[in-house]
PDB file of all heavy atoms in Angstrom:
ATOM      1  N   PRO B 191     -30.830  13.093   4.713  1.00  0.00           N
ATOM      2  CA  PRO B 191     -30.822  11.679   4.334  1.00  0.00           C
ATOM      3  C   PRO B 191     -29.574  10.937   4.816  1.00  0.00           C
ATOM      4  O   PRO B 191     -29.645   9.755   5.155  1.00  0.00           O
ATOM      5  CB  PRO B 191     -30.889  11.717   2.808  1.00  0.00           C
ATOM      6  CG  PRO B 191     -30.513  13.102   2.418  1.00  0.00           C
ATOM      7  CD  PRO B 191     -30.906  13.992   3.549  1.00  0.00           C
ATOM      8  N   VAL B 192     -28.445  11.623   4.869  1.00  0.00           N
ATOM      9  CA  VAL B 192     -27.220  10.966   5.327  1.00  0.00           C
ATOM     10  C   VAL B 192     -27.299  10.698   6.834  1.00  0.00           C
ATOM     11  O   VAL B 192     -26.948   9.619   7.306  1.00  0.00           O
ATOM     12  CB  VAL B 192     -25.974  11.817   4.973  1.00  0.00           C
ATOM     13  CG1 VAL B 192     -24.742  11.277   5.659  1.00  0.00           C
ATOM     14  CG2 VAL B 192     -25.785  11.842   3.463  1.00  0.00           C
ATOM     15  N   VAL B 193     -27.811  11.681   7.580  1.00  0.00           N
ATOM     16  CA  VAL B 193     -27.987  11.506   9.016  1.00  0.00           C
ATOM     17  C   VAL B 193     -28.921  10.326   9.270  1.00  0.00           C
ATOM     18  O   VAL B 193     -28.650   9.471  10.122  1.00  0.00           O
ATOM     19  CB  VAL B 193     -28.553  12.800   9.657  1.00  0.00           C
ATOM     20  CG1 VAL B 193     -28.855  12.572  11.137  1.00  0.00           C
ATOM     21  CG2 VAL B 193     -27.574  13.942   9.481  1.00  0.00           C
ATOM     22  N   ARG B 194     -29.998  10.268   8.481  1.00  0.00           N
ATOM     23  CA  ARG B 194     -30.967   9.185   8.642  1.00  0.00           C
ATOM     24  C   ARG B 194     -30.318   7.818   8.394  1.00  0.00           C
ATOM     25  O   ARG B 194     -30.497   6.871   9.151  1.00  0.00           O
ATOM     26  CB  ARG B 194     -32.115   9.386   7.658  1.00  0.00           C
ATOM     27  CG  ARG B 194     -33.454   9.407   8.364  1.00  0.00           C
ATOM     28  CD  ARG B 194     -34.591   9.802   7.444  1.00  0.00           C
ATOM     29  NE  ARG B 194     -34.448   9.383   6.075  1.00  0.00           N
ATOM     30  CZ  ARG B 194     -34.801  10.142   5.033  1.00  0.00           C
ATOM     31  NH1 ARG B 194     -35.297  11.340   5.226  1.00  0.00           N
ATOM     32  NH2 ARG B 194     -34.645   9.702   3.811  1.00  0.00           N
ATOM     33  N   ALA B 195     -29.555   7.752   7.307  1.00  0.00           N
ATOM     34  CA  ALA B 195     -28.934   6.467   6.948  1.00  0.00           C
ATOM     35  C   ALA B 195     -27.928   6.031   8.012  1.00  0.00           C
ATOM     36  O   ALA B 195     -27.842   4.850   8.359  1.00  0.00           O
ATOM     37  CB  ALA B 195     -28.255   6.579   5.587  1.00  0.00           C
ATOM     38  N   VAL B 196     -27.161   6.980   8.534  1.00  0.00           N
ATOM     39  CA  VAL B 196     -26.162   6.646   9.550  1.00  0.00           C
ATOM     40  C   VAL B 196     -26.858   6.161  10.822  1.00  0.00           C
ATOM     41  O   VAL B 196     -26.440   5.196  11.459  1.00  0.00           O
ATOM     42  CB  VAL B 196     -25.246   7.853   9.844  1.00  0.00           C
ATOM     43  CG1 VAL B 196     -24.410   7.610  11.083  1.00  0.00           C
ATOM     44  CG2 VAL B 196     -24.346   8.131   8.646  1.00  0.00           C
ATOM     45  N   ARG B 197     -27.957   6.833  11.171  1.00  0.00           N
ATOM     46  CA  ARG B 197     -28.655   6.441  12.408  1.00  0.00           C
ATOM     47  C   ARG B 197     -29.358   5.104  12.245  1.00  0.00           C
ATOM     48  O   ARG B 197     -29.361   4.280  13.155  1.00  0.00           O
ATOM     49  CB  ARG B 197     -29.665   7.521  12.794  1.00  0.00           C
ATOM     50  CG  ARG B 197     -28.919   8.812  13.155  1.00  0.00           C
ATOM     51  CD  ARG B 197     -29.660   9.656  14.167  1.00  0.00           C
ATOM     52  NE  ARG B 197     -28.797  10.790  14.519  1.00  0.00           N
ATOM     53  CZ  ARG B 197     -29.196  12.038  14.534  1.00  0.00           C
ATOM     54  NH1 ARG B 197     -30.463  12.338  14.265  1.00  0.00           N
ATOM     55  NH2 ARG B 197     -28.350  13.001  14.851  1.00  0.00           N
ATOM     56  N   SER B 198     -29.991   4.894  11.093  1.00  0.00           N
ATOM     57  CA  SER B 198     -30.774   3.665  10.928  1.00  0.00           C
ATOM     58  C   SER B 198     -29.891   2.489  10.518  1.00  0.00           C
ATOM     59  O   SER B 198     -30.225   1.336  10.749  1.00  0.00           O
ATOM     60  CB  SER B 198     -31.848   3.867   9.865  1.00  0.00           C
ATOM     61  OG  SER B 198     -31.241   3.942   8.582  1.00  0.00           O
ATOM     62  N   GLY B 199     -28.763   2.806   9.879  1.00  0.00           N
ATOM     63  CA  GLY B 199     -27.907   1.731   9.388  1.00  0.00           C
ATOM     64  C   GLY B 199     -28.438   1.096   8.121  1.00  0.00           C
ATOM     65  O   GLY B 199     -27.918   0.076   7.670  1.00  0.00           O
ATOM     66  N   ARG B 200     -29.465   1.688   7.531  1.00  0.00           N
ATOM     67  CA  ARG B 200     -30.058   1.092   6.325  1.00  0.00           C
ATOM     68  C   ARG B 200     -29.731   1.903   5.080  1.00  0.00           C
ATOM     69  O   ARG B 200     -29.784   3.138   5.091  1.00  0.00           O
ATOM     70  CB  ARG B 200     -31.579   1.009   6.473  1.00  0.00           C
ATOM     71  CG  ARG B 200     -32.043  -0.248   7.218  1.00  0.00           C
ATOM     72  CD  ARG B 200     -33.508  -0.488   6.967  1.00  0.00           C
ATOM     73  NE  ARG B 200     -34.292   0.720   7.171  1.00  0.00           N
ATOM     74  CZ  ARG B 200     -34.769   1.109   8.364  1.00  0.00           C
ATOM     75  NH1 ARG B 200     -34.528   0.387   9.425  1.00  0.00           N
ATOM     76  NH2 ARG B 200     -35.471   2.214   8.462  1.00  0.00           N
TER      77      ARG B 200
END
Side-chain angles (χ1 to χ4, degrees):
Chain B
V192 170
V193 175
R194 235 172 33 219
V196 168
R197 295 209 175 131
S198 71
R200 275 197 311 274

